[in-house]
Amino acid sequence: MKKLQKQDPQIYSTIKKEIKRQNEELELIASENYVSPAVLEAMGTVLTNKYSEGKAGHRYYGGNQIIDEMEFLAIERLKKIFGAEHANVQPLSGSPANAAVYMAFIKPGDKVLGLKLDHGGHLSHGHPVNFSGMLYNFVQYGVNEKTGRIDMEEVRRIAKKEKPKMIVAGYSAYSREIDWKGFKKIADEVDAYSFADIAHTAGLIAAGLMENPVPYFDVVSTTTHKTLRGPRGAVIMCKEKFAKQIDRAVFPGMQGGPHNHINAAKAVAFGEILKPSFKKYATQVIKNAKAMADEFIKLGYKIVSGGTDNHLFILNLGAKGIGGREAEQILEQIGISVSRSTIPNDPNPPMNPSGIRIGTPAATTRNMKEKEMRKIAKLIDEAFRNKADKKVLARIKKEVKNLCLKFPVPAK
Ligand code: DSN
């Protein structure tokens, strides 16, 4: 970054500080990860200079032959990973991808069935403060109060009563396997479109470790920067019969020119996913989440649904007398990032909910394993128990830093 350092020392210095933070601190935010040096390199290329409105092979600007070659590669790799009939790799991020999906299939005012946000859903699945909740008439299902899991009979009952045009499955804070076939069956019974947002678990699905909705569902979206370990962005996959309406919704419906440097980086990440080493990584992500959840249970903590099948879990801190926001702030003091999270039917508001969400994709990219996960759970517990003791927190912070330095993040 010599040129950047010389030309813009202020921005250079913020980047250097963030590099140091990422190296010395522990990332347990379930939606974050560290990309490989190759993905990072592809992002910082001159492909950013090119306008390419339209699809690969059908552009509204000249000079796109090479960009076409890159985009076709990204599409082919993505289709191969998930067995998709059609793929669009241009969505800029998760919410714009979901906006394009709604635009492609339904009209403003149409009814859609999605999971409640405080039960693990996503803002773009119909929350009133989001475009989805403003434009479309969302009705919502929740998880079962006792099991913390989605109850398919309850989904069926609501679907039959409400007759939505579309059913959305796939969540941001749900730690269990999803019955995609069951959802598709219900969607068929009420003549609704089936839409899966697999942003969180896409990498685990890609590795063949969780069920894949792509063969069943009408349309599937995912971000590319979470368990897929690619650049920030998103993609949409669908049945061939919906290809035209999805492509038109992405452009010109939602977006202008695609971000070609990012799409090249998506292709690089897809290439990595197609290698056997990715399955090994994804297998360890799940093992790590299970080990850490198990350690928290041993330490007397409650976990929503009692455990995890994927890369994340929600710690319910209600009984510990610590709010989600407070927990986030205590952990920041010891160099650990997590995100506060609601628990199902949370009595507290989203700004200070009753839980935190913990995820293992990033720590696993650093090569941490079950032993480190159990140690981290113990350090978190110690920090919570000594939240007012600055000396103890400072000592734990040092331990976290030493652990992180033993497991470096991928670097150029
Ligand atoms: N903000 C993401 C997450 O943290 O889950 C979802 O978009």
Side-chain angles (χ1 to χ4, degrees), residues 29 31 122 172 200 226 339 357:
I29 291 177
S31 48
H122 189 253
S172 296
H200 263 268
K226 299 186 175 94
S339 42
R357 187 184 63 172

Side-chain angles (χ1 to χ4, degrees), residues 190-212:
V190 299
D191 202 18
Y193 292 115
S194 49
F195 167 29
D197 176 348
I198 59 169
H200 263 268
T201 51
L204 311 177
I205 294 169
L209 303 172
M210 297 192 81
E211 287 291 321
N212 181 7

Side-chain angles (χ1 to χ4, degrees), residues 24 333-335 375 379 390-405:
E24 294 181 357
Q333 291 178 61
I334 61 164
K375 181 175 167 130
L379 290 174
K390 297 272 173 221
K391 261 195 192 154
V392 175
L393 295 182
R395 196 213 78 232
I396 301 174
K397 186 178 171 129
K398 255 192 209 150
E399 278 198 53
V400 170
K401 183 176 164 182
N402 289 341
L403 180 69
C404 286
L405 293 177

Side-chain angles (χ1 to χ4, degrees), residues 35-98:
V35 296
S36 71
V39 168
L40 211 50
E41 272 182 10
M43 274 190 269
T45 59
V46 296
L47 272 63
T48 192
N49 296 338
K50 190 75 196 100
Y51 248 119
S52 317
E53 287 183 4
K55 317 196 295 178
H58 300 89
R59 306 285 189 182
Y60 290 82
Y61 289 78
N64 269 301
Q65 291 78 2
I66 298 161
I67 296 296
D68 282 356
E69 199 182 310
M70 174 279 292
E71 193 170 312
F72 278 130
L73 271 172
I75 291 169
E76 282 320 306
R77 289 179 187 177
L78 180 65
K79 283 166 69 174
K80 190 168 172 194
I81 292 169
F82 289 96
E85 290 180 16
H86 178 77
N88 187 308
V89 298
Q90 295 188 4
L92 303 178
S93 211
S95 285
N98 289 353

Side-chain angles (χ1 to χ4, degrees), residues 351-370:
M351 267 311 281
N352 188 20
S354 305
I356 53 171
R357 187 184 63 172
I358 293 187
T360 54
T364 309
T365 294
R366 298 179 92 137
N367 276 321
M368 290 186 184
K369 301 224 161 57
E370 290 95 321

